[in-house]
Structures are given as C-alpha cells and as structure tokens.
Amino acid sequence: MSSSIRAIRVKFPREQWPGWHIAELNLQSSLHRSDSDCSDSDSNESYNLNDNTRLTLSVDPNTYSDYGSDSPVFRAFAVPDDRREWRRSQMNLTPSQELSPVHHPKTSIALKFAFREDLVDDLYQEAQTYEFTLRSLQGVVVPRCYGFFTGVGPDGQEIACLALEYWGESLRAPFRKLSIDLRCVQSYGIACFNLLCPTSNY
C-alpha cells in the first residue's frame, strides 16, 4: 500500500448511534500479521518517535452511510497520541515536523468496512487494485490507499476495513444531471482505469 501503517484502532460514536454496540475495533494489516510488530508499549522511553505504523481513528458521528449495514463507509480522523505528544515536547518539535499526513488530526480518512465474512474477499480485491493496478494514480485520479486491515468482529466473525483518503460523499444525482466539470473528471478517471484494466467492466 502507499502507507506503512500496520495496525489501526477505530473508535465509534456508540452513544450517538442508536442500536450500535461496538465501542472500538483493533485491526491489523493483512500484510503484516506479526503480533510483536503491532503490540503497544506503555513506556514513553521505548516509544519510537518515528514509528508511524499504528494509527488511532475516531469515526465522525455525522454519517450519510447506513451504519447498520454489512458494508458501511465512514469518515474518520486521526486521534492524537499522548506518547507522541510527550516525546515531541521533549524534543521541541512542531506537529508538522513530527506527523505524517495520515496521522494529522485534520486529515479525513474513509473507512470501508466488511462486517460479513463473505464480503471480506471482495474488499480485499478492491485493496489489491489500489495496491497494484492503480498505485501510480493514487492521489491524482483515485484516493490514496492507507491499507487493508482485518480483525475479529463482536460475534467472532472475520471483518475487514479498507482505509482510503477521503474524497467526499457519494454522488447523489444521476451522471447525466451532474455539471459538465464533474462529468469530465469522472470520465477521465474511468478512461485512465480502463487503460490500466482493459478487462474491467467500467
């Protein structure tokens, strides 16, 4: 992926979503499953200032997605790490000197979930497309991909999450009713995709 993040902790607004019972999920990159790589240390002394492999995300409670579905898409923001703040203060670094863009609290991240085991493989295939076929187009024609993560859901089922750069909500109008500018941008993106994936159905 275009990011070296190996583990994410996703915090949900349980109190603000009626019927939602998950407080947080801890997921690991499907490419890096070593427990030792993703274990947290309570010691500030052993914390590596440049270790950006872990990321805590807080989901925006204001969502247009159906959070009760099996494949919701949420907007999230990075949560500041207290240990990182402590080390930064000791070294007199500014946030811009220490934080990578994905770790910055103002960076919006789209989280695409698969809460059913039979949906995990489809999401993995999408992640593979970002990783290989669309890698050179990330950040230009398609969103940047921050990783594909898996874990165990509240009922013991395998779940997955694809983390992408947030590019806004889904279009709410038919293609023919969009402005000329939007139609040109979308057509350009589809054309680039078809050049790289001639066997696709787009």
Side-chain angles (χ1 to χ4, degrees), residues 18-195:
W20 183 269
H21 304 294
I22 303 174
E24 67 176 46
L25 289 172
N26 293 286
L27 308 173
Q28 296 187 20
S29 170
S30 63
L31 302 179
H32 304 279
R33 292 182 177 273
S34 171
D35 291 336
S36 60
D37 288 341
C38 298
S39 61
D40 287 326
S41 170
D42 292 329
S43 171
N44 284 323
E45 295 301 326
S46 63
Y47 187 70
N48 182 358
L49 183 66
N50 296 317
D51 183 6
N52 289 327
T53 63
R54 304 170 186 84
L55 182 63
T56 299
L57 298 167
S58 178
V59 172
D60 185 352
N62 300 313
T63 177
Y64 291 101
S65 180
D66 177 10
Y67 59 78
S69 75
D70 295 319
S71 55
V73 180
F74 301 130
R75 181 185 185 185
F77 300 91
V79 176
D81 189 314
D82 291 338
R83 295 172 301 174
R84 195 180 300 277
E85 292 290 333
W86 182 87
R87 287 297 300 272
R88 192 179 69 204
S89 66
Q90 299 300 306
M91 300 181 69
N92 296 318
L93 296 177
T94 65
S96 60
Q97 289 176 306
E98 191 270 326
L99 290 174
S100 64
V102 68
H103 287 79
H104 198 285
K106 292 185 178 180
T107 299
S108 297
I109 298 174
L111 301 177
K112 301 184 68 173
F113 278 95
F115 283 129
R116 283 204 335 249
E117 290 186 350
D118 59 312
L119 299 176
V120 171
D121 188 60
D122 289 340
L123 195 60
Y124 176 73
Q125 294 301 323
E126 182 177 349
Q128 291 292 93
T129 301
Y130 277 101
E131 165 67 4
F132 298 107
T133 309
L134 302 179
R135 189 179 186 91
S136 63
L137 299 179
Q138 289 187 29
V140 181
V141 178
V142 298
R144 291 182 177 87
C145 181
Y146 297 127
F148 177 76
F149 306 90
T150 57
V152 179
D155 298 322
Q157 80 280 22
E158 182 184 14
I159 61 174
C161 175
L162 176 60
L164 301 169
E165 183 181 16
Y166 182 80
W167 274 20
E169 297 293 335
S170 302
L171 296 175
R172 297 177 175 274
F175 182 79
R176 66 180 184 278
K177 293 186 178 181
L178 298 177
S179 67
I180 294 296
D181 291 343
L182 282 177
R183 278 186 280 175
C184 289
V185 169
Q186 186 167 358
S187 297
Y188 174 73
I190 293 174
C192 290
F193 184 85
N194 286 334
L195 285 174

